[in-house]
Amino acid sequence: IDRGVEKTVWTTIVDSVEYQLITWREEKNPQEHPFVSFAKGGPFTLPMHKLDFVAHTIYGGDFSKATSFVNSLTSSSTIWLADISVGETAGALSLPELPDVDFELQVKEQKARLMALEIAKHQISEEKYALHDQIPEPKQLSEWLLEEDVPLTYRVEELWPSLGTIFVVAAYKAGKTTLLMNIIRCLIDGGLFLGRFKTTPVSRNVGYLNFEVNENQGKAWLKRLGIKKQERLFTWNLKGFGSPLSTALSKEKFIQALIEKDIEVLIIDPFSGAYRKGSTNDNDEVKDFLLQLDEVVRKAGVQEVLMAVHAGNDPNKPRGATTLGDHPDALWNIAKSDAGKTRFFKAEGRDVFLAEEAMSLSLDKITLELNGKTRAETAGESFGSLVMDFAEKHPDCLAGDFESGITGKNSSIAAARKKLVKDGLLIETQDGTAKRYRLA
């Protein structure tokens, strides 16, 4: 006995072949361990289950008969190895009577089960993707062109086509929720989004699925927005809760809630909170979720959807499945400057394009506006203030001191330093082969 495990060696002869069998059992569990190691004899050299041993040595490989035999010994609490070792041949064992098995019937039943499984998989696939009750009739081009043209309209001028889906892509803490708060105010009260783009306010209501911000903080931020028609916003505070888009039952309940609240535009913050199916890298699973979201929106009579999505290693692309970049009508992107102090906005999609511009945050710390500056111009300003601060603290410093003492790209720091010298705000003096800098 070693550490409470008892080792037993059995020697038996089956059909004139000697086997040495080893089994183990724990003191607290007198049942034999189901595996046997064959130390010598016979063709077996690896550990083998008792069922395999019985099938091969006694029943010539017939596992159905071996199963009946082992089950009969188990039900009568017989130690099967002891029984085997009693006799010198298989004929010496008292073998149970085995019922005749209708294998042909079993094959038919198994085949029917497999066919049913394949049919079920096919039907599930159809339910996921076909939506056959909603597929419209095809249109012949010659007749289609005779129909009256419907002018292209925008929920947000130049940025958000009517009846379109928008994904806002941004890195961690880049300002997704702040941007969403800005669009919520414009959707309800109208006005210029980012200080420039005319927004058509909803005639019904806005729904906001908030998975990101805790309820108290979200309330404080919405209060700072100063929304006038407050009755037109319905917020689901879901941080720490499940997603209403996760199961068939929850989706049906959510559809009814959207209808009851008369939601015209739905905002989801963020995708990772709403998606609870599995890996966000699985294209099939994510596409299935997005199609189901489209179905919820269609059944509830929602016109437009805007959803925040976390960026991956590439700040311009959604993190996870590639279908996240393909599905929406347009992507809005928020990115940080090298210094991390400035946010940039750009948009691209179907009938949507806006080159990257810097955003400014108003004194209320919630209102965002485009200021027309490029990344290069903003970098110069951002690093300019950092260079000025550094020169004030380290008078007569060398050019390399700026680069080692300021976090950021060396090229951006050098560009800011040269511009400050040109503008007369920084004095450059020659010190041998080196150059030194101090404030003007």
Side-chain angles (χ1 to χ4, degrees):
I1 298 178
D2 180 19
R3 295 181 182 176
V5 178
E6 179 181 325
K7 174 182 177 182
T8 306
V9 179
W10 305 81
T11 301
T12 187
I13 298 175
V14 179
D15 290 338
S16 301
V17 179
E18 182 178 289
Y19 300 92
Q20 189 177 84
L21 316 176
I22 303 173
T23 187
W24 296 265
R25 67 180 181 184
E26 296 180 5
E27 281 186 312
K28 63 182 179 181
N29 180 13
Q31 297 298 318
E32 293 172 8
H33 192 281
F35 286 94
V36 176
S37 292
F38 296 85
K40 66 177 181 178
F44 311 119
T45 58
L46 296 175
M48 177 177 283
H49 192 278
K50 62 184 178 182
L51 180 61
D52 294 317
F53 178 78
V54 172
H56 287 293
T57 59
I58 300 177
Y59 293 108
D62 191 327
F63 281 92
S64 62
K65 291 182 178 180
T67 299
S68 296
F69 173 54
V70 172
N71 285 341
S72 68
L73 295 181
T74 303
S75 63
S76 61
S77 301
T78 303
I79 300 177
W80 65 276
L81 279 176
D83 267 21
I84 290 177
S85 65
V86 167
E88 293 187 352
T89 67
L93 297 172
S94 176
L95 302 181
E97 290 293 328
L98 300 176
D100 292 332
V101 180
D102 189 346
F103 289 104
E104 186 175 350
L105 177 60
Q106 289 188 8
V107 169
K108 288 181 179 179
E109 291 177 350
Q110 185 67 16
K111 183 178 178 181
R113 283 193 291 269
L114 292 174
M115 290 178 65
L117 179 61
E118 288 300 316
I119 292 173
K121 288 181 179 179
H122 181 68
Q123 290 180 351
I124 290 173
S125 179
E126 283 189 343
E127 290 171 0
K128 282 183 176 181
Y129 298 106
L131 302 175
H132 19 241
D133 60 325
Q134 300 296 331
I135 293 177
E137 292 295 320
K139 291 186 177 182
Q140 189 175 37
L141 181 59
S142 57
E143 296 181 0
W144 191 13
L145 293 178
L146 294 176
E147 295 181 9
E148 184 179 355
D149 292 339
V150 178
L152 177 63
T153 59
Y154 287 83
R155 173 64 69 181
V156 179
E157 191 176 43
E158 298 183 42
L159 299 180
W160 190 349
S162 298
L163 306 180
T165 296
I166 302 295
F167 287 179
V168 180
V169 181
Y172 175 74
K173 301 303 180 186
K176 294 185 297 296
T177 302
T178 302
L179 187 81
L180 296 187
M181 295 284 183
N182 276 253
I183 193 64
I184 285 173
R185 178 170 57 190
C186 292
L187 288 171
I188 295 174
D189 291 337
L192 300 179
F193 177 56
L194 298 180
R196 185 182 303 174
F197 303 103
K198 181 181 178 181
T199 304
T200 302
V202 296
S203 58
R204 296 185 284 149
N205 298 314
V206 175
Y208 178 33
L209 293 186
N210 169 33
F211 296 94
E212 190 87 339
V213 182
N214 69 65
E215 189 169 343
N216 289 337
Q217 189 174 27
K219 180 181 178 182
W221 286 10
L222 288 168
K223 185 180 292 185
R224 291 205 327 247
L225 287 170
I227 295 174
K228 298 175 183 176
K229 300 176 183 177
Q230 298 177 1
E231 69 280 1
R232 293 212 165 169
L233 176 63
F234 287 90
T235 301
W236 283 262
N237 292 302
L238 298 170
K239 186 171 184 179
F241 291 87
S243 169
L245 300 167
S246 58
T247 68
L249 179 60
S250 65
K251 284 196 289 285
E252 287 302 319
K253 289 184 177 180
F254 186 50
I255 289 171
Q256 293 305 313
L258 292 172
I259 294 172
E260 291 173 5
K261 303 306 180 186
D262 203 16
I263 301 301
E264 184 174 331
V265 176
L266 178 64
I267 295 177
I268 303 172
D269 184 19
F271 160 74
S272 58
Y275 178 81
R276 302 294 175 87
K277 293 177 68 69
S279 171
T280 56
N281 293 308
D282 190 319
N283 265 308
D284 289 337
E285 290 289 345
V286 172
K287 186 65 176 178
D288 179 39
F289 168 81
L290 295 175
L291 289 175
Q292 290 184 37
L293 174 59
D294 288 345
E295 184 181 10
V296 168
V297 166
R298 175 174 48 80
K299 289 182 176 180
V302 174
Q303 289 190 13
E304 290 100 12
V305 175
L306 186 146
M307 181 162 64
V309 181
H310 289 288
N313 293 329
D314 184 344
N316 298 310
K317 295 180 180 180
R319 182 178 67 201
T322 56
T323 191
L324 283 169
D326 302 332
H327 189 82
D329 295 282
L331 293 175
W332 293 357
N333 180 261
I334 307 173
K336 297 180 182 180
S337 64
D338 294 334
K341 293 185 176 181
T342 307
R343 302 294 187 268
F344 299 90
F345 178 86
K346 68 177 181 180
E348 189 170 0
R350 304 175 188 109
D351 294 310
V352 171
F353 180 80
L354 177 71
E356 186 179 70
E357 283 189 39
M359 293 187 291
S360 299
L361 191 63
S362 298
L363 294 177
D364 62 7
K365 300 297 183 182
I366 196 74
T367 301
L368 292 167
E369 292 185 357
L370 294 173
N371 59 31
K373 295 179 180 179
T374 65
R375 185 177 287 266
E377 291 170 336
T378 305
E381 292 179 358
S382 298
F383 283 103
S385 65
L386 294 175
V387 169
M388 292 284 283
D389 290 342
F390 187 86
E392 182 178 8
K393 296 176 183 177
H394 306 85
D396 294 322
C397 59
L398 299 171
D401 294 336
F402 291 111
E403 296 172 1
S404 60
I406 299 174
T407 302
K409 290 184 178 179
N410 290 344
S411 58
S412 299
I413 297 171
R417 172 175 51 80
K418 292 175 182 178
K419 187 176 186 304
L420 290 171
V421 172
K422 182 179 178 181
D423 294 342
L425 298 174
L426 198 65
I427 296 177
E428 180 182 82
T429 57
Q430 198 73 31
D431 184 7
T433 58
K435 292 181 179 179
R436 296 188 177 276
Y437 298 88
R438 57 183 175 84
L439 294 182

